[in-house]
Amino acid sequence: MSTAFWLTNTTLETGYQNNNGVVTGTNTERFHLLIDGGKISKIIPVTEAITDDFPQKDVKGLLMLPSFVEKHCHLDKTLLGDRWRSVTPVNSIFERLEIEKKVLPSLETTTQERAEKLLNHYLTSGVTHVRTHVDIYPEVGLKNLEEVKKALQTFEGKLSYEIVAFPQHGLLRSNAKNLISEALHQGANYVGGVDPATVDGDIEASLQQMVDLAVEGNAGIDLHLHDADHLGIFTMKRLARLTKEAGLQGKVAISHAFGLGDIPLSQAKGVAEILADAGISIITSVPIDRKFPPVGLLRKKGVPVAVGCDNIFDVWSPFGNGDILERAGRLAEISGWVDEQSLAQTLSFITDGKTPLNHQGEQVWPNVGDDASIVLVDASCSAEAIARRPGRVMTMHKGEIVSDSFEERIDEK
């Protein structure tokens, strides 16, 4: 365990500024924080003298935020580190799958190399936890899982992670059940799935197999659900019932869940209540080319919601830079969240719910005893960080500084 040290002159948010009940800004103050044993062990105002001999790192007023969580990435799919290529348009997901089967094995770089490139980018952008989907199908077996695990091992102590054993070509369609089961034995944490109706062709059998695998492997479920409108809604409702019957509440997520954005809000309210009752969370990549789940409504109804980047320069899309803070800013922009409080609360979608201030403007983070997993940004407050996507100057994971461009920033100024 590293030696204890002080982060001095850090800016923390202490409350909202109000004018006749209207939030007009955010109050901040500077503090010194003692980092010890991977935790925040002391928080004192800058007016209080430090009386011990622990090392000090003066961060000169940088804003401290909880480090970020990337809930949806594909470390095995990214082309980062390989040569540029655009994307071939297709007419169906099945055409895309065949293209991917041919392209990925032909690359000059290895899966591990490309995954490490993306992981390093995550650290510099403030991410210290990732959930990665890893493609598993008969032609590739568990090779992608093995390569991704090697990449993650090189970042041991720098970030935490979860692995989804993802049958991209369909759990039933590619007859991947035994491979998924083996992946769970080899360290995967979640059973993946994709479009039980469109890809697998059998909603009931596909969902039931996912649930059976999760129960047998003591794992969770993360289902990619692109199916639109009421087809998607029917699938969600059925998964909710199976989740409760199997006792998997709190261990199931639906990624994309586009159907929730296709139906009227009056109908979405009822579906949100069903999802909340089953403890199912929603993960959205905030696409700009189609409707996505009504995040604000889901949050009000008690459904946990997270934002993830998903595609980051791969065979599916030439876009995506892996900046989860930028993606949260996109959510706020599309949603019309422009006031101080709404912008600040958007942070919760990329921090597993952590925000410096709650909705009432009370300071709720950080506290003594919290993990020292933080990001220091060049901004005045959370609202500005969401709206302006400032530079991430330092990232810390459980007390270890894992990315630090502080000196470069000072030189630039």
Side-chain angles (χ1 to χ4, degrees):
M1 189 63 68
S2 59
T3 304
F5 67 97
W6 286 93
L7 280 182
T8 62
N9 293 307
T10 59
T11 296
L12 300 180
E13 294 168 305
T14 56
Y16 290 129
Q17 299 168 8
N18 288 278
N19 183 9
N20 295 324
V22 177
V23 174
T24 58
T26 300
N27 293 316
T28 60
E29 296 178 32
R30 291 194 183 187
F31 293 85
H32 304 318
L33 284 82
L34 179 63
I35 310 300
D36 189 9
K39 305 282 186 180
I40 298 171
S41 64
K42 282 185 184 179
I43 304 174
I44 62 174
V46 292
T47 53
E48 185 174 324
I50 295 173
T51 58
D52 56 49
D53 296 324
F54 291 129
Q56 299 179 23
K57 188 172 183 67
D58 185 354
V59 298
K60 301 187 183 302
L62 288 169
L63 178 69
M64 192 173 96
L65 298 175
S67 60
F68 306 146
V69 174
E70 164 61 279
K71 276 288 182 77
H72 187 146
C73 70
H74 296 263
L75 291 177
D76 60 325
K77 290 182 184 288
T78 184
L79 302 179
L80 288 178
D82 207 275
R83 71 170 179 83
W84 156 255
R85 67 191 72 214
S86 56
V87 168
T88 304
V90 297
N91 295 313
S92 73
I93 187 176
F94 303 110
E95 290 181 35
R96 178 68 63 210
L97 295 175
E98 290 307 309
I99 291 174
E100 188 174 52
K101 271 187 187 180
K102 296 174 183 177
V103 171
L104 292 183
S106 72
L107 300 178
E108 295 182 4
T109 51
T110 67
T111 301
Q112 180 181 349
E113 289 170 341
R114 298 190 303 275
E116 288 178 0
K117 189 89 171 178
L118 180 51
L119 288 168
N120 187 66
H121 175 75
Y122 279 141
L123 293 183
T124 61
S125 63
V127 171
T128 63
H129 181 86
V130 298
R131 177 183 293 184
T132 180
H133 300 261
V134 178
D135 281 10
I136 292 172
Y137 52 95
E139 291 89 337
V140 75
L142 299 180
K143 183 178 179 182
N144 288 333
L145 177 63
E146 294 163 0
E147 290 285 297
V148 166
K149 283 172 63 179
K150 285 190 287 187
L152 289 166
Q153 286 164 8
T154 66
F155 283 77
E156 199 67 42
K158 295 182 178 181
L159 50 74
S160 54
Y161 57 85
E162 302 165 295
I163 299 174
V164 182
F166 185 50
Q168 173 70 85
H169 300 256
L171 183 59
L172 303 181
R173 182 172 174 268
S174 64
N175 194 26
K177 180 179 180 181
N178 291 337
L179 282 172
I180 298 298
S181 179
E182 182 58 29
L184 295 175
H185 284 107
Q186 293 193 22
N189 313 99
Y190 288 83
V191 176
V194 58
D195 295 338
T198 300
V199 175
D200 271 341
D202 189 328
I203 295 174
E204 185 66 23
S206 180
L207 292 178
Q208 190 64 63
Q209 196 166 110
M210 286 178 222
V211 169
D212 290 345
L213 281 163
V215 171
E216 292 167 10
N218 191 28
I221 294 173
D222 194 327
L223 168 66
H224 278 50
L225 186 57
H226 311 90
D227 286 333
D229 296 300
H230 290 284
L231 178 59
I233 296 302
F234 175 86
T235 305
M236 290 180 222
K237 289 180 177 179
R238 185 62 187 136
L239 178 58
R241 175 168 291 186
L242 290 172
T243 294
K244 291 185 67 176
E245 290 174 357
L248 292 173
Q249 295 96 320
K251 299 178 69 174
V252 177
I254 301 175
S255 292
H256 302 305
F258 291 138
L260 280 168
D262 295 329
I263 61 176
L265 280 179
S266 58
Q267 296 178 22
K269 289 179 182 177
V271 182
E273 290 168 359
I274 291 171
L275 296 173
D277 179 59
I280 293 177
S281 60
I282 297 295
I283 302 169
T284 179
S285 61
V286 196
I288 58 176
D289 57 350
R290 75 156 353 274
K291 294 178 181 178
F292 58 90
V295 169
L297 168 67
L298 291 171
R299 180 165 59 180
K300 287 179 183 177
K301 290 294 185 179
V303 179
V305 180
V307 167
C309 287
D310 194 7
N311 301 103
I312 301 168
F313 178 34
D314 54 23
V315 175
W316 296 71
S317 171
F319 307 113
N321 61 7
D323 188 343
I324 195 70
L325 182 60
E326 182 178 293
R327 195 59 61 103
R330 181 198 288 183
L331 172 62
E333 188 171 2
I334 293 175
S335 302
W337 299 337
V338 296
D339 63 279
E340 186 85 7
Q341 190 172 16
S342 296
L343 285 167
Q345 291 302 311
T346 303
L347 186 69
S348 68
F349 298 115
I350 60 170
T351 60
D352 248 356
K354 294 189 183 75
T355 54
L357 305 175
N358 63 17
H359 286 282
Q360 290 73 43
E362 300 163 330
Q363 187 175 27
V364 292
W365 182 93
N367 294 296
V368 170
D370 286 347
D371 281 342
S373 294
I374 62 177
V375 56
L376 296 173
V377 302
D378 207 350
S380 63
C381 60
S382 295
E384 183 185 1
I386 291 292
R388 304 304 307 161
R389 291 85 145 174
R392 277 34 60 88
V393 182
M394 182 189 298
T395 307
M396 185 181 298
H397 175 61
K398 295 185 177 180
E400 296 292 332
I401 296 174
V402 295
S403 176
D404 186 359
S405 61
F406 187 79
E407 297 303 326
E408 295 174 24
R409 173 179 175 272
I410 297 301
D411 290 342
E412 289 173 359
K413 291 194 173 185

